[in-house]
Amino acid sequence: MLVESLMTRDVESARPESTLAEAAAVMWRRDCGVVPVTDEGGSVVGVITDRDICMALSMRGQRAAEVRVAEVMARGVETCTPVDDVREALEAMARRQVRRLPVVDSRGRLVGVLSLNDVVRHTRKGKSKKRVSRRAALAALRAVCAPHGSGGDEEEAAGEEHHDEAVPAQETEEARGGGDADASD
């Protein structure tokens, strides 16, 4: 499945010279927790999250209208393209421990955002090219939710393997009509 089939297309961005108040207003209007930051040409130069805003304001003791996005935004942002496979995007999210990836065209201009929410809403059982596997979505979510910098320990990994081994038995029961597929999620 390609990123373009899941991504949010109508995305509003902020500029580096925007204030935190302006970025927060975008988040409020769009009901989101991240705003891509673009230059005058529309290329992604960073992202700013609601957490970035809260932490910057609490640490600086300044008003949101006094601080520029460029002062607190994350730079060196991982992106994906509309024609990337969703599994590759999930791997990038897991590797960088982020919940969202800006989607850029071949020139690096913002065309959308892919979020874990977008992916989770499209997860299904089985191996269909029109769906995202539950296993891939859960693996990315586990990695994103892990404490930053943790490599995970062996005991936790063993538990994950054990859990994954139990899934086929559950799917077999559901295939025989013995379970509700959505109730097990």
Side-chain angles (χ1 to χ4, degrees):
M1 173 176 277
L2 299 180
V3 167
E4 66 188 351
S5 62
L6 302 180
M7 71 184 203
T8 300
R9 294 173 186 275
D10 184 27
V11 177
E12 193 171 345
S13 64
R15 301 283 302 279
E17 62 272 10
S18 300
T19 66
L20 297 188
E22 292 167 329
V26 171
M27 292 176 189
W28 182 258
R29 270 193 310 275
R30 297 302 186 123
D31 189 27
C32 64
V34 68
V35 174
V37 182
T38 58
D39 64 16
E40 53 281 340
S43 294
V44 175
V45 296
V47 296
I48 187 158
T49 67
D50 49 3
R51 183 179 189 279
D52 295 333
I53 293 171
C54 290
M55 296 303 292
L57 295 178
S58 68
M59 301 299 285
R60 294 168 178 240
Q62 292 177 285
R63 293 170 12 114
E66 299 170 338
V67 182
R68 301 284 170 209
V69 166
E71 297 176 50
V72 298
M73 71 183 194
R75 301 171 191 274
V77 175
E78 183 92 24
T79 62
C80 61
T81 70
V83 295
D84 286 344
D85 187 279
V86 171
R87 288 173 297 203
E88 293 170 10
L90 284 171
E91 289 169 7
M93 287 179 187
R95 186 174 55 254
R96 295 291 296 263
Q97 288 189 286
V98 296
R99 292 171 172 80
R100 308 153 190 107
L101 291 178
V103 183
V104 297
D105 64 14
S106 61
R107 294 185 183 145
R109 292 180 304 212
L110 181 68
V111 295
V113 170
L114 179 68
S115 71
L116 278 178
N117 290 354
D118 297 328
V119 173
V120 168
R121 286 195 313 265
H122 290 86
T123 59
R124 299 288 187 272
K125 283 188 181 171
K127 294 182 179 181
S128 169
K129 292 186 181 203
K130 295 183 179 182
R131 302 196 171 165
V132 178
S133 78
R134 290 178 181 165
R135 186 170 289 170
L138 184 57
L141 188 56
R142 277 189 186 131
V144 166
C145 293
H148 285 280
S150 73
D153 60 35
E154 293 177 24
E155 190 175 314
E156 184 178 326
E160 289 175 9
E161 290 173 13
H162 175 73
H163 173 74
D164 289 344
E165 291 172 1
V167 171
Q170 179 184 6
E171 290 176 359
T172 303
E173 181 179 333
E174 290 168 0
R176 287 182 286 189
D180 180 8
D182 292 330
S184 64
D185 290 339

